Amino acid sequence: MAISTVRAAWVPDDDPERDWELAADLAVSWIRRECAEQGASGVLVLNGRRAHESVPSLRSFAAEHTVTTPAASRERVGRGVGPVLAYVPDEKTLDFAMRLARGSSLAVVESVQSFALRGWASALGAIDLTRPDERPEEASPGFAKAIDRLNSYKNNGFGDPFGKQQAQRTLQNLADSEGLDPEAVLGALAARGASSRALRNLAKLIDGLGQR
């Protein structure tokens, strides 16, 4: 089961002409509305403590709300503190942000160089803030079943022999039946609360299949 949020939204990194400041503006505007509707303070989650300083809307948001990183605030993971905005997170930062957003809302600005979020957004039905009137694309039954199986083996981060073997079998079956989209698989597992370790190990297993 995914870590529960009231709502999720994202700004996809799918347009080379889109300015990063515009992407941040869209996410900040959405998360401000969520804060107002919930009567709660927000949290800005970054990969690094000063990553927001060159972006005006993030700087303004940070002046009014909490700013944190996975390294700075491990003790807050899992507590659920209010609407969260995660800016260009990697898999570790996304996991942290999702735990902070438990029971509230989460907006994410994607950087595919950090971590691709297409599968994550699809799994959570996240609102595309660049196309807010479009419905998220639903996964096929076969893909959804494969993600369910992978999710059941993720507890040890796909690091134990059994979990690794079962994940490889599931991935191979998915590849044979309808093709293997690494971004979609990893993103969907991230939406289920897979740890950054599990996602890294799963990515290695996917790479390994391509080398057979």
Side-chain angles (χ1 to χ4, degrees):
M1 180 177 294
I3 295 176
S4 177
T5 56
V6 172
R7 287 207 303 172
W10 70 313
V11 181
D13 181 13
D14 61 356
D15 183 353
E17 300 300 320
R18 185 178 300 126
D19 185 271
W20 285 104
E21 290 188 10
L22 174 60
D25 291 350
L26 290 171
V28 168
S29 294
W30 189 85
I31 210 71
R32 283 188 187 277
R33 291 194 296 272
E34 294 296 303
C35 288
E37 290 177 10
Q38 297 176 38
S41 181
V43 181
L44 175 61
V45 175
L46 306 167
N47 295 321
R49 191 73 184 186
R50 300 183 181 278
H52 65 294
E53 292 184 349
S54 63
V55 184
S57 60
L58 293 180
R59 212 166 49 236
S60 174
F61 184 82
E64 303 167 6
H65 301 274
T66 300
V67 181
T68 191
T69 69
S73 298
R74 291 182 185 275
E75 71 277 5
R76 298 181 68 181
V77 172
R79 291 172 60 180
V81 296
V84 174
L85 194 167
Y87 184 65
V88 298
D90 57 19
E91 62 266 48
K92 181 178 180 180
T93 302
L94 179 65
D95 178 42
F96 178 69
M98 288 183 65
R99 294 179 185 278
L100 288 182
R102 180 181 285 133
S104 187
S105 306
L106 175 62
V108 184
V109 177
E110 178 191 41
S111 166
V112 294
Q113 297 301 315
S114 293
F115 186 71
L117 292 169
R118 178 166 47 86
W120 173 90
S122 177
L124 290 182
I127 301 166
D128 181 343
L129 295 177
T130 69
R131 308 170 186 87
D133 296 327
E134 292 186 9
R135 294 177 60 85
E137 183 178 349
E138 294 185 5
S140 70
F143 179 85
K145 182 177 180 180
I147 295 302
D148 282 342
R149 290 184 62 83
L150 289 170
N151 186 59
S152 70
Y153 301 128
K154 77 177 190 302
N155 289 343
N156 291 317
F158 303 111
D160 61 293
F162 178 76
K164 180 178 179 180
Q165 181 184 59
Q166 294 303 314
Q168 287 173 321
R169 180 177 300 171
T170 301
L171 291 168
Q172 187 63 64
N173 288 341
L174 179 61
D176 292 342
S177 63
E178 55 187 88
L180 186 59
D181 183 338
E183 289 186 2
V185 170
L186 295 173
L189 263 293
R192 295 294 192 98
S195 67
S196 56
R197 173 174 172 265
L199 294 174
R200 287 194 298 269
N201 284 339
L202 190 62
K204 292 177 183 178
L205 293 178
I206 293 172
D207 287 344
L209 289 180
Q211 297 172 6
R212 290 184 177 183

